[in-house]
């Protein structure tokens, strides 16, 4: 217990939020691996309150807390002691102790911490990192409690680990409860009216990111938009986003980009995901991989570009997901694209990118039609133009030529001319090719001057 409260006093003296928050971490530091065990065994349920009060009021320390602040910290550390006791028992696999109990005790500690900011105790803004630790592990313990409930048969949907953005579609009663508590932390930060240099608003984006992670895990992405509306409404009184820690900014931009992505606003999604990609730490490989998971489909639709082998080289999972599709798109291989999409369907659906990637078939079709255009060669020289060196590509292509190419690309799948014309009209409408269909003559008249297939140089 001495080590924890030595750090507590030091943090109070120098005003260090990170040091203070380390005293309520449920994970022992590497330099003191037995800290949690010693702390849990240093007292008992009858004496813990008086023992902690004695440690906080250590006469050798130069800090002097108000009575209300003193009582509030005692309540926090009593809750922490109870949670650690349950946590150690759970990790030892005791049949009497459940992760549900760990979650419940940690929630009590978190509520005591929140109360310290809203009551007469008046915890100062520099202590906000304590809310980070409380909220982060509240979510972790809620997930573990729900997983244990599923294993025991209380819930029967979707057991197992998934990335936050992929969601978890079963019942998550404790995680839903945790989301409500974390929302209280968000409200605590956004409603602070103190001057910015002394404001809890500096904890706003960390808490926002924690809520995003929780809502995505719950598959309640719509609730994230409520948070965005609250941020927009309070933007006048908030520090600019650029003033926050880079880790907060990158995570926020990532989730904001994914929200726009799922709303099919790919331009804004690309803007935010690109910002996250450019500011993310170069050694944060997992984070970069998550960003690319959504940025690559965005680029495919907005700029019709595919990731290079060099870009995908450090990310084997992404290479396995996107390389087969990319190769088929480049070749204009429609049948191969359909097969690659079907092969990765489960993973694409889980990551919520299936429908977006499905639209990549239009790019594959564009490339196939472009090959037909290039294979058509050049128009013959007209009378009087024999001395002109510049050649012009043939721009009047029979519909049946495009139809033959589509049938070959689809591995012989039958298609009537009307269906071919419908596909060509759709490509023109989407600006993937420029021209018009002359139905009475059975030809497609394409634009001259290297603009027949915009962005491809022909």
């Amino acid at each position: 217990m001495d080590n924890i409260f030595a750090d507590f006093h030091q943090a109070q003296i120098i005003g260090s939020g990170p040091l203070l928050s380390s005293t309520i971490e449920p994970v022992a530091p590497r330099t003191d691996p037995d800290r949690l065990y010693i702390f849990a065994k240093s007292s008992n349920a009858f004496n813990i309150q008086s023992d902690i009060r004695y440690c906080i009021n250590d006469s050798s320390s130069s800090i002097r807390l108000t009575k209300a602040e003193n009582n509030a910290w005692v309540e926090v550390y009593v809750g922490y002691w109870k949670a650690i006791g349950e946590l150690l028992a759970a990790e030892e696999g005791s049949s009497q102790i459940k992760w549900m109990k760990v979650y419940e005790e940690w929630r009590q500690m978190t509520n005591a911490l929140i109360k310290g900011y809203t009551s007469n105790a008046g915890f100062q803004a520099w202590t906000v990192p304590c809310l980070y630790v409380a909220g982060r592990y509240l979510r972790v313990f809620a997930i573990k409690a729900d997983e244990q409930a599923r294993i025991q048969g209380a819930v029967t949907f979707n057991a197992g680990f998934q990335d936050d953005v992929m969601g978890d579609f079963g019942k998550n009663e404790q995680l839903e409860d945790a989301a409500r508590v974390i929302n209280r932390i968000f409200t605590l930060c956004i409603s602070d009216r103190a001057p910015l240099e002394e404001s809890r608003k500096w904890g706003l984006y960390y808490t926002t990111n924690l809520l995003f992670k929780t809502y995505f895990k719950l598959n309640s992405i719509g609730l994230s938009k409520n948070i965005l509306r609250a941020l927009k409404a309070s933007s006048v009184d908030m520090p600019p986003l650029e003033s926050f820690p880079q880790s907060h900014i990158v995570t926020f931009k990532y989730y904001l980009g994914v929200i726009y992505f799922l709303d099919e606003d790919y331009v804004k999604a690309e803007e935010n995901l690109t910002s996250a990609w450019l500011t993310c730490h170069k050694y944060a490989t997992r984070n970069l991989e998550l960003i690319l998971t959504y940025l690559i489909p965005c680029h495919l639709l907005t700029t019709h570009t595919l990731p290079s082998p060099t870009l995908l080289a450090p990310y084997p999972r992404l290479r396995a997901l996107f390389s087969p599709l990319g190769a088929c798109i480049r070749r204009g291989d429609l049948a191969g694209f359909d097969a690659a999409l079907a092969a990765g369907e489960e993973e694409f659906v889980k990551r919520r990118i299936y429908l977006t990637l499905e639209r990549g078939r239009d790019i594959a079709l564009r490339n196939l039609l472009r090959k037909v255009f290039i294979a058509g060669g050049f128009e013959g020289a007209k009378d009087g133009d024999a001395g002109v060196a510049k050649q012009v590509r043939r721009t009047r292509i029979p519909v049946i030529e495009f139809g033959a190419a589509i049938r070959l690309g689809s591995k012989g799948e039958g298609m009537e001319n009307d269906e071919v014309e419908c596909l060509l009209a759709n490509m023109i409408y989407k600006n993937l090719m420029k021209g018009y269909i002359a139905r009475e003559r059975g030809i497609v008249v394409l634009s001259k001057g290297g603009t027949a297939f915009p962005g491809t140089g022909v």
Side-chain angles (χ1 to χ4, degrees), residues 73 91 123 139 151 167 220 280 350 368 429:
W73 282 118
E91 289 185 340
F123 287 173
R139 178 180 172 278
I151 291 172
S220 300
C280 187
K350 190 185 297 183
L368 177 62
Y429 171 77

Side-chain angles (χ1 to χ4, degrees), residues 26-27 82-107 137-152 174:
V27 179
K82 292 179 179 178
I84 293 303
E86 296 292 348
L87 178 63
L88 293 178
E91 289 185 340
E92 291 168 2
S94 170
S95 58
Q96 288 77 33
I97 306 299
K98 307 298 182 185
W99 279 107
M100 180 71 71
K101 294 290 291 182
V102 177
Y103 170 74
E104 289 173 351
E105 295 296 351
W106 193 265
R107 182 183 58 189
Y137 285 103
L138 184 73
R139 178 180 172 278
V140 170
F141 295 148
I143 291 172
K144 285 184 176 291
D146 287 330
E147 287 176 348
Q148 190 174 67
R150 281 192 287 271
I151 291 172
Q152 293 174 346
Q174 307 317 313

Side-chain angles (χ1 to χ4, degrees), residues 227-241:
I227 301 300
L228 293 176
R229 282 191 286 269
L231 290 174
K232 185 176 181 180
S234 302
S235 59
V236 176
D237 303 322
M238 287 170 50
L241 179 60

